[in-house]
Amino acid sequence: MGQRMAAVLRTVTNALGEAGIERPGLEARMLLCAAAACDHAALIRDPDALLPPDAATRLQAFVARRLVGEPATRILGTRAFWTLDLIVTPDVLDPRPDSECLIEAALDQLGSRRNLPLRILDLGTGTGALLLALLSECPHALGIGVDLSPAACDVARENAQLNELASRTEIREGTWMEGLAGSFDVILSNPPYIASATIADLDVGVRQYDPRLALDGGADGLSAYRDIMAALPAFLDGGFAVLELGIGQAPDVARIAAAAGLQTLALRNDLGGVPRAIVLRKPDGQA
Ligand code: GLN
């Protein structure tokens, strides 16, 4: 006889908790639901349902992978970001909840202008998380997402389709703003910002599973900011940019921005209280 869902959930939660995984209850529920192909509500509605043997086998494999450090996102191939469900493959960075503060910062800055026919650009779009989240909040906006990786571009296109945003989204393969013209109302980016030499010290879930292209910010972690900042002013004409920051990088990035003629309008903290987003514009801009 199979085991009951509630009992399985307890066993898996304990196993993940003992392994030091931060939110064992949540992750156990995610893995169980994926293995049993049920939604979270079903677990609450019917905790005494029996877990079918094939689902139990799948769950066992998922838990084994999680216990050696593979993130739940990689096991499931999906991630919830903002109000969207996104496909995540090995070719793209796993979008983090902390990055949602970029969307909050952009929406604060836009105020009621979020309903205008805005042009939005996302540099290094990966899954498309930032671009698609902001498009979902700006009903008349059009967005361009750029990524160097063709495989990432495919993922972003698929996510635009899945979230019914494809008609307002263009995904382009390329290097930052290369080949783009005109100005944008909002420019978003979560660039690679980890110093090359410190990638090896990151958590296994990051260093082994996030693509290096999405992490490696060069010797001091700031290379991508220098490249982006050099080009940014030409694409901002009354608009603003919201860039993600690595821990402790706000002063350096603000300095690079100032040297490029950009003014820091705001910093925004992530869920852990770390300044994670910087909002920039040209000093004469209206943003
Ligand atoms: N968020 C990732 C981390 O914390 C880094 C992503 C990036 O380099 N932009 O490790």
Side-chain angles (χ1 to χ4, degrees):
M1 200 184 78
Q3 272 189 295
R4 298 191 188 284
M5 293 285 206
V8 175
L9 187 58
R10 269 197 306 277
T11 308
V12 174
T13 301
N14 289 341
L16 299 184
E18 276 164 24
I21 288 163
E22 251 172 53
R23 301 173 75 189
L26 173 67
E27 294 217 7
R29 215 164 57 231
M30 286 166 62
L31 296 178
L32 174 55
C33 285
C38 69
D39 60 14
H40 293 218
L43 291 184
I44 297 165
R45 244 188 348 256
D46 196 3
D48 291 329
L50 293 175
L51 183 68
D54 59 329
T57 307
R58 272 195 299 277
L59 180 60
Q60 212 168 17
F62 287 170
V63 172
R65 287 166 67 182
R66 187 66 193 96
L67 290 177
V68 295
E70 184 170 355
T73 303
R74 302 291 173 190
I75 297 169
L76 305 180
T78 59
R79 157 76 94 171
F81 183 84
W82 199 249
T83 60
L84 310 177
D85 283 320
L86 300 173
I87 286 180
V88 182
T89 74
D91 301 299
V92 290
L93 186 86
D94 177 5
R96 316 290 207 272
D98 285 333
S99 301
E100 292 178 348
C101 77
L102 273 73
I103 305 302
E104 294 166 357
L107 290 175
D108 270 8
Q109 198 59 44
L110 284 169
S112 60
R113 286 182 300 149
R114 75 155 78 175
N115 294 311
L116 297 178
L118 304 167
R119 286 188 86 209
I120 302 173
L121 173 66
D122 180 17
L123 300 168
T125 197
T127 52
L130 293 174
L131 179 67
L132 298 174
L134 193 56
L135 283 176
S136 76
E137 298 290 342
C138 301
H140 304 294
L142 298 178
I144 299 178
V146 179
D147 207 287
L148 198 52
S149 153
C153 288
D154 288 342
V155 177
R157 284 188 196 104
E158 200 173 345
N159 281 324
Q161 292 276 359
L162 276 174
N163 289 283
E164 295 177 3
L165 292 164
S167 64
R168 295 194 282 128
T169 304
E170 183 195 338
I171 303 295
R172 294 167 57 110
E173 190 186 323
T175 307
W176 305 132
M177 291 88 149
E178 197 181 76
L180 290 176
S183 61
F184 291 87
D185 300 290
V186 187
I187 300 182
L188 300 165
S189 186
N190 175 10
Y193 53 61
I194 310 289
S196 310
T198 65
I199 290 178
D201 305 329
L202 297 175
D203 189 71
V204 61
V206 182
R207 75 180 134 84
Q208 264 189 35
Y209 296 96
D210 279 315
R212 191 168 177 111
L213 184 65
L215 298 177
D216 194 339
D220 61 358
L222 300 168
S223 298
Y225 297 108
R226 290 193 194 91
D227 294 346
I228 291 173
M229 234 60 98
L232 208 45
F235 292 88
L236 289 176
D237 186 15
F240 62 92
V242 188
L243 308 183
E244 181 161 326
L245 302 168
I247 294 172
Q249 288 176 330
D252 284 335
V253 174
R255 187 175 41 73
I256 295 168
L262 295 165
Q263 178 185 21
T264 299
L265 277 183
L267 289 171
R268 195 172 185 105
N269 290 355
D270 66 16
L271 303 164
V274 173
R276 188 59 77 181
I278 187 167
V279 184
L280 302 166
R281 68 163 180 188
K282 289 206 277 196
D284 54 354
Q286 304 282 301

